Structure formats: structure tokens, C-alpha cells
Amino acid sequence: MPYSAEHKDKTRKKIVETARVLFNRHGFNGVSIDMVMQEAGLTRGGFYNHFKNKEQLFSEAVMSFLMGRGAEWREDAGVDVSNLQPEMAHQMINAYLSPEHLNDLDGQCPMIALPSDIARGGIEAQQSFQTLLEAMVSLFETNMSSDDSTNRQWAQAIAALCVGGMVLSRALPDSTLAKEVRVAAGQSAKRLLSEGQR
Amino acid sequence: MPYSAEHKDKTRKKIVETARVLFNRHGFNGVSIDMVMQEAGLTRGGFYNHFKNKEQLFSEAVMSFLMGRGAEWREDAGVDVSNLQPEMAHQMINAYLSPEHLNDLDGQCPMIALPSDIARGGIEAQQSFQTLLEAMVSLFETNMSSDDSTNRQWAQAIAALCVGGMVLSRALPDSTLAKEVRVAAGQSAKRLLSEGQR
DNA sequence: ATCAAAATATGATAAAGAACATTTTTAGAG
DNA sequence: CTCTAAAAATGTTCTTTATCATATTTTGAT
């Protein structure tokens, strides 16, 4: 067996990570397979040894955020998934709506960078999207008071505020207004959080 | 002067309206100029008599929502801009987050259908987007108690919730979860509204 | 060292699409 | 009715791209 199994796996991971960055920046149609492979230091020929088609790559790129770049994100924000504390939800909201996140075109959350692409895309990409959202909602939910069946609702609304605030911010040409929106979304998100923590 | 001025204007408006629908459905890259012109009952040749390029058409299509399809929308929701009443904000929230809106791929608000396209697009499209958002925020703001400087913040957060809830809903493959998110966003939006109306 | 299977590279195809140049059609002015 | 400028249609170019077929390279096992 020439080429160790790890080699193929490493190559595949590199392609996915490269694709994640490029898709984040340019969207599904703005990225060609050539572009991805070149950026990964390969040529387009090998692509179909790793993936069925471009859609599959897209879906995996979206999903890869959760355990890859997203994990770094949570770490930077001081969010420890294995040891959740009430103030972590606050930190998560602040980090998600921060100018740093807005400026991080490569590392940003795909829910912000790619919602239209995913809405129009195949079901696989949508499944990846749903997994991301569920992770985010579950993080907020876990930070609430233990026995209230409405926690999930609050958590979902907070997620909608975070994503909505950033999606709006990204599409606005006036950076002052964009900041206003992020601040407004953040304040309201924390207000909703305190409802859930009551 | 052959061809009355109205004729050209009518043709131009028809192209923009056709483009609005197609862009809403397929996104910027998913729509070709041929497609738009054919759907409008014309051929691609005439396009550049009306528009500088595809970007300009896109920007105008987004903007056209406000006074065109969006006006019908507000009317259906019982929102009269010239005579605002407190309960209109409620109706607006309900209509925006309704399943009817979610299913109206042609008529939906471009902030939901095209945020990624616009974020990556030219400044003209982003200006159009900003105008749409400002109209929405201003509608919520006007429905709040008169003299509170934080009204604008509440209104922006409500808009972020509405847009965020719908953007998420659109990208989720599980329609039950999608509905949950819309309901959660709607409830929280009304909660924030009552804060502003206090 | 050599072999072969797996990975990667190269070559090719067919389609789509933005932009524009040129031709044709239209309808109002004289 | 004729003329003509504007609008619309047709023809064309050049580029990009997803996909796949074929060739080449790599490397662990013999």
C-alpha cells in the first residue's frame, strides 16, 4: 500500500481547510476547484479522488468549522465546553458580535459568511449548517437555569440575534451603523439571556 | 423620438422586477443576463441600453423591493406607513416571521434572500440593503414610546431578530426546527418591543 | 532494487456567461 | 409616406469552470 493512509487523510484535511477559508471569503460560486487545489499546493486532477463533487467539499468545509476554527474561537473567547459557567454565554455573545469576528473574513462563522449559499445549496450543506446552529443554541441553553422548558426558546432567540446582527453588519456599507447594530444585538441578547437565567 | 419615453421606462421596470424575482430565487451568480431578459420577454442584446452592468441591475433589483413588492407586503400585513399604530409593529413581526414569508421565494425580503450575495457584492447593492434595513428599523422605532433615546437600539435588535430568525430558518433542512426558531425569534422580538414601548 | 496500487498531475471537453459590436426593427416627426 | 434615432435582436469573442480520461509519480512491501 503505497502512500500511507495518514497521508491521504492529511491531504484531504488540508483541502477541506483551504476550501473553508476560500468559501468563507468568496462564497460557493466564487471559488473554483482549481483555486482550492492550487491554494492547497495541489493540482485539480486529484480532487475527485477525495470528493464526489464540489457540493460535498462545500458541505464538509462548513462542517469542519465546528471542531476546527470554531474551537479556537471558543477558546479565545474563554468558552470551555467541558466546564460551562454562566458567564461563558456572555463571553460568547461578545465574541460573536465583536469587530474582530467581523473582520476575520477567513475565520468567521459560516452561518454569517454563507447563509444564502447554504439556503440555495444541497441538503448536505444544510445539515452542516444545522449542526452548527444546534451547537450554538445548546451552548446558550446549557448556561441557563436548570429546569425551565423555555430555555431552548431563549437560546434560539439569542442565536438568531447573534447571527442576524452579524449578517446585517456584514452587508451594511456604513461601518458606524454596522457597529450600532452589533451593539444593539449584543445588549438585547444579554437581556434575553438574563430572562433565561432568572 | 421613436419609442415613447414611457415605453423605455416600462421596459426597464419590467427588467428590474423580473431580475428581483430571479435574484431572490437563485442569487447573484445563479442568474444570467440572458435569463433575466428572456424571462422579461426580451433578448440579451438590449440589456446594456438600460444598465451599465449586472451589478447595477442587482442593486436596483434589491432597492425596488422597498416600494414594490415590499409595499404589497406591508399592506397585506395591515401596516399603514402614513398612519402608524402601536399594534402595527406586532403585525409586522408576525408577518415577517410567518411561514407565508418563508415560502414566498419570489416575494421575500432581499435581506433574507441575499445577505451573503450583498455582503460580497459592490457598494451599490450594499447601499440598497442599508436603505431596506433603515426603513424596517424606522418602522419599529416609530411604534415606540416617543421620548426615549434607546428606542433606536430596541428597533435595531428587533430587526436583527427578524432577519436572523428568517435567515436561519431558510438554511435549516429540518422544517420543524426552522419553525421553532421563527417562533422563538418572534416571541423575543415582541418582548423587546414591549421594552421599547414601556 | 523492483513492482504495483494509490495518489497526483496533465490534457481535454463541453457548457455557460458577461460584455459588446453590428444589424434589424420600431414608431414618432416632418 | 418617408426618414431617423432609439430600442431591441443577432452574432461574436473571450474567459471561466466542473468534470473526467489518461498519464505520471510516489512509496511501502516484496
Side-chain angles (χ1 to χ4, degrees):
Chain A
M1 47 169 160
Y3 283 101
S4 64
E6 312 102 279
H7 179 249
K8 179 164 191 182
D9 198 54
K10 252 183 83 173
T11 303
R12 188 193 161 93
K13 283 203 171 80
K14 183 171 196 173
I15 295 173
V16 171
E17 172 61 12
T18 304
R20 186 191 62 71
V21 170
L22 288 174
F23 281 135
N24 250 14
R25 219 172 239 283
H26 308 291
F28 183 79
N29 283 304
V31 175
S32 72
I33 290 170
D34 279 36
M35 215 184 287
V36 174
M37 295 301 276
Q38 275 201 7
E39 192 74 18
L42 300 166
T43 56
R44 73 192 171 291
F47 178 79
Y48 290 91
N49 279 351
H50 291 282
F51 303 95
K52 191 171 85 240
N53 52 30
K54 191 180 172 184
E55 283 251 11
Q56 189 193 356
L57 175 64
F58 183 60
S59 152
E60 291 201 26
V62 172
M63 181 66 94
S64 78
F65 177 81
L66 192 55
M67 305 308 281
R69 191 66 178 74
E72 296 175 30
W73 246 105
R74 290 188 295 276
E75 212 171 311
D76 291 350
V79 175
D80 180 359
V81 182
S82 67
N83 179 26
L84 287 169
Q85 304 291 327
E87 63 272 19
M88 282 178 191
H90 266 85
Q91 290 163 347
M92 184 76 186
I93 292 170
N94 285 333
Y96 205 87
L97 288 163
S98 69
E100 287 75 26
H101 191 194
L102 188 76
N103 289 328
D104 188 4
L105 292 183
D106 291 348
Q108 68 185 318
C109 174
M111 290 196 288
I112 291 166
L114 302 166
S116 310
D117 298 75
I118 292 171
R120 289 187 295 262
I123 192 150
E124 290 167 326
Q126 297 182 358
Q127 297 281 11
S128 298
F129 186 96
Q130 180 162 331
T131 303
L132 293 193
L133 177 65
E134 281 169 339
M136 188 178 188
V137 169
S138 145
L139 192 148
F140 288 131
E141 194 179 357
T142 312
N143 271 280
M144 293 178 176
S145 61
S146 47
D147 49 352
D148 188 332
S149 64
T150 64
N151 282 354
R152 187 176 159 88
Q153 283 202 342
W154 295 118
Q156 284 172 341
I158 294 168
L161 254 177
C162 288
V163 172
M166 286 297 279
V167 163
L168 291 179
S169 221
R170 216 166 245 326
L172 293 172
D174 177 347
S175 62
T176 306
L177 178 59
K179 177 164 195 167
E180 257 186 58
V181 170
R182 289 199 309 282
V183 169
Q187 290 196 338
S188 292
K190 288 169 206 159
R191 169 76 59 120
L192 296 180
L193 187 65
S194 71
E195 297 279 349
Q197 287 175 340
R198 180 157 306 164
Chain B
M1 48 169 158
Y3 282 100
S4 65
E6 312 101 278
H7 180 249
K8 177 163 193 184
D9 199 55
K10 253 183 83 174
T11 303
R12 189 192 160 93
K13 284 204 171 79
K14 185 171 194 173
I15 296 173
V16 171
E17 171 61 12
T18 304
R20 186 191 62 71
V21 170
L22 288 174
F23 281 135
N24 250 13
R25 221 173 236 282
H26 308 293
F28 183 79
N29 283 304
V31 174
S32 72
I33 291 171
D34 280 35
M35 216 184 286
V36 174
M37 295 301 275
Q38 276 201 8
E39 193 74 17
L42 299 165
T43 56
R44 72 192 173 291
F47 178 80
Y48 291 91
N49 281 349
H50 292 280
F51 304 95
K52 189 171 86 239
N53 52 29
K54 192 181 172 185
E55 283 250 11
Q56 189 192 356
L57 174 65
F58 183 59
S59 153
E60 292 202 25
V62 172
M63 181 66 94
S64 79
F65 177 81
L66 193 55
M67 304 308 280
R69 191 67 179 75
E72 296 175 31
W73 246 105
R74 290 188 294 275
E75 211 171 311
D76 292 351
V79 174
D80 180 358
V81 181
S82 67
N83 178 27
L84 287 169
Q85 303 292 328
E87 64 272 19
M88 282 178 190
H90 266 86
Q91 290 163 347
M92 184 75 186
I93 292 169
N94 285 334
Y96 205 87
L97 289 163
S98 69
E100 287 74 27
H101 191 194
L102 188 76
N103 290 327
D104 187 5
L105 293 183
D106 291 349
Q108 68 185 318
C109 174
M111 290 196 287
I112 291 166
L114 301 166
S116 310
D117 298 76
I118 292 171
R120 290 187 295 263
I123 191 151
E124 291 167 327
Q126 297 182 359
Q127 297 282 12
S128 298
F129 187 96
Q130 179 161 331
T131 303
L132 292 193
L133 177 65
E134 280 170 340
M136 188 177 186
V137 168
S138 144
L139 193 148
F140 288 131
E141 195 179 356
T142 312
N143 270 279
M144 293 178 176
S145 61
S146 46
D147 49 352
D148 188 333
S149 64
T150 63
N151 282 355
R152 186 177 160 88
Q153 283 201 343
W154 295 118
Q156 286 173 340
I158 294 168
L161 254 178
C162 287
V163 172
M166 286 298 280
V167 163
L168 291 180
S169 220
R170 217 167 242 326
L172 293 172
D174 177 347
S175 61
T176 305
L177 178 59
K179 178 165 196 167
E180 257 187 58
V181 170
R182 289 199 308 281
V183 170
Q187 290 195 338
S188 291
K190 288 170 205 160
R191 170 77 59 123
L192 296 180
L193 186 65
S194 71
E195 297 280 349
Q197 287 174 340
R198 180 157 307 166

